[in-house]
Amino acid sequence: MHVPDGFIDAPVSAVTGVVAAGAVAVSLRGARRELDERTAPLAGLVAAFIFAVQMLNFPVAAGTSGHLLGGALAAILVGPYTGVLCVSVVLLMQGVLFADGGLTALGVNITDMALVTTVVAYAIFRTIVKLAPHRRRTVTVASFVAALVSVPAAAVAFTAIYALGGTADVAIGKVFAAMVGVHVLIGIGEAAITALTVGAVVAVRPDLVYGARGVTAPPLEIRDSPLAPAAPGAVARAGAPAAEPSTATSESPVTSEAPASETSATREPAATREPAAPREPAAVPQRSARRVWFAGLAAALLCAGVVSFYASASPDGLEKVAHDKGIDAKEEDHAAKDSPLADYGVRDISDARLSGGLAGVIGVGATLAVGSGVFIVVRRRRATAESGRS
């Protein structure tokens, strides 16, 4: 759904550019709350992974293909604010290096593919997670539904933008029907990829999935004393009030709760005894995310460097609709059409498999470097701000 130059007129392109810039600015601030020392590098990996999987066009119907948009996947894995930044980095790298998506239309693409998909998907995801049972399966199912809806939502958003600033005289009703119809089918593929990816990470490391926080965490066991084992069934979730101690009666046996070394002469009456200070929960050491990072990087390189050669060569949903309905009547050449990596191939390498695979690997590396750099800087600014307040 990468909108090329010439589809949208200059005034509307400028407005969407302002909207996109505002969304990125807000997301930079919001991402500070979402990122920590472990997730900042993972966010860069998510951007690289989305770049790689977007190279895998899959056939849909009638000579049309589709590819991952990635807004739902990014929002669920690393948070909605960080998700907007992930997809924006991908779109920037695709436009500058690979001549995919117009440079004057970058605001349109960020607004449509990064902002709309992320907001819609995460809103649906959180709604399902709140209403459904708190299980790992719920996270996967919610991911599927959220991704499924986000793609036709982006198609609706494009239609609205085209209604305001389209450069070709095409009936908006026809554009709407064609765009939504084909992108509902593309949404099924998006949903499958998103659910499989999120489900795989949740199965291995649910603590690394932003959307799974508070859903997959095991209940915490609360005990009054470390010396006495908890009674069967006396397990409470974190934050639950502790049960009040039962009072003994003259007819019931009395058991002493004092340590064995305490005598009746030194024991204080219950009424005057100082309440015990609450025990601080033991700090849980954070597990390293290196294995997940390397596994994700290997998957991204495999998709971009090898599997992309077998992707569908059919035009994607927007290209097909644009050609059939005449939206592309005033399409302009891309400013980076002479880039050494234009059209996802390396210039002067005649072997198509090698050229495409090498371009994909370069793209993954460049997106990973830029994305990781952005997120690490955002994380450090948060740490600096927190240290300044302290």
Side-chain angles (χ1 to χ4, degrees):
M1 197 186 286
H2 295 76
V3 180
D5 295 320
F7 276 26
I8 308 298
D9 62 23
V12 174
S13 295
V15 171
T16 56
V18 172
V19 172
V24 170
V26 172
S27 297
L28 284 169
R29 180 175 294 272
R32 296 182 191 178
R33 300 190 298 271
E34 294 174 345
L35 297 171
D36 55 35
E37 294 298 334
R38 293 185 305 163
T39 56
L42 288 175
L45 176 63
V46 169
F49 183 79
I50 290 174
F51 172 89
V53 180
Q54 282 195 2
M55 295 182 65
L56 308 182
N57 281 45
F58 49 85
V60 178
T64 308
S65 69
H67 62 74
L68 182 80
L69 299 185
L73 179 62
I76 296 167
L77 288 178
V78 292
Y81 293 106
T82 310
V84 171
L85 298 178
C86 282
V87 182
S88 298
V89 168
V90 172
L91 293 171
L92 177 63
M93 302 307 295
Q94 289 171 332
V96 172
L97 297 180
F98 298 92
D100 189 9
L103 296 182
T104 62
L106 184 60
V108 175
N109 286 319
I110 290 177
T111 300
D112 192 24
M113 295 177 64
L115 181 59
V116 172
T117 58
T118 300
V119 171
V120 171
Y122 197 71
I124 294 173
F125 175 83
R126 292 308 308 174
T127 300
I128 296 175
V129 166
K130 287 182 179 179
L131 297 178
H134 284 192
R135 300 173 182 172
R136 292 186 180 184
R137 184 179 301 177
T138 299
V139 176
T140 304
V141 173
S143 302
F144 185 93
V145 177
L148 177 65
V149 177
S150 70
V151 177
V156 172
F158 169 79
T159 305
I161 293 172
Y162 194 82
L164 295 174
T167 56
D169 186 14
V170 181
I172 297 303
K174 294 182 179 180
V175 175
F176 176 85
M179 285 293 293
V180 174
V182 71
H183 283 90
V184 166
L185 299 178
I186 295 174
I188 298 174
E190 175 107 7
I193 295 171
T194 301
L196 287 173
T197 305
V198 172
V201 180
V202 166
V204 178
R205 290 291 302 274
D207 58 304
L208 297 178
V209 179
Y210 183 89
R213 295 176 182 179
V215 179
T216 60
L220 298 179
E221 185 174 314
I222 300 178
R223 300 181 181 179
D224 292 335
S225 171
L227 300 178
V235 177
R237 290 184 179 274
E244 296 183 359
S246 59
T247 57
T249 65
S250 58
E251 297 179 358
S252 61
V254 178
T255 58
S256 173
E257 296 182 359
S261 60
E262 184 180 357
T263 65
S264 59
T266 60
R267 185 182 305 149
E268 295 182 17
T272 62
R273 189 179 307 160
E274 289 290 335
R279 306 181 68 88
E280 292 290 336
V284 179
Q286 292 186 343
R287 297 168 58 192
S288 173
R290 287 186 178 181
R291 290 186 179 182
V292 174
W293 192 90
F294 282 113
L297 178 59
L301 292 174
L302 179 65
C303 289
V306 179
V307 183
S308 62
F309 180 77
Y310 303 98
S312 173
S314 299
D316 67 15
L318 176 58
E319 290 178 305
K320 180 67 173 177
V321 172
H323 178 74
D324 292 346
K325 304 301 179 183
I327 295 176
D328 58 354
K330 296 185 178 181
E331 180 179 355
E332 301 174 1
D333 290 337
H334 199 286
K337 65 177 183 178
D338 296 326
S339 165
L341 300 173
D343 297 324
Y344 297 94
V346 178
R347 185 190 300 172
D348 299 330
I349 295 182
S350 58
D351 185 276
R353 187 191 299 269
L354 178 60
S355 176
L358 184 57
V361 169
I362 294 173
V364 168
T367 306
L368 178 64
V370 173
S372 298
V374 169
F375 298 125
I376 290 173
V377 169
V378 170
R379 168 59 187 167
R380 288 180 177 175
R381 289 187 64 183
R382 171 187 172 181
T384 302
E386 290 176 348
S387 62
R389 289 195 297 268
S390 61

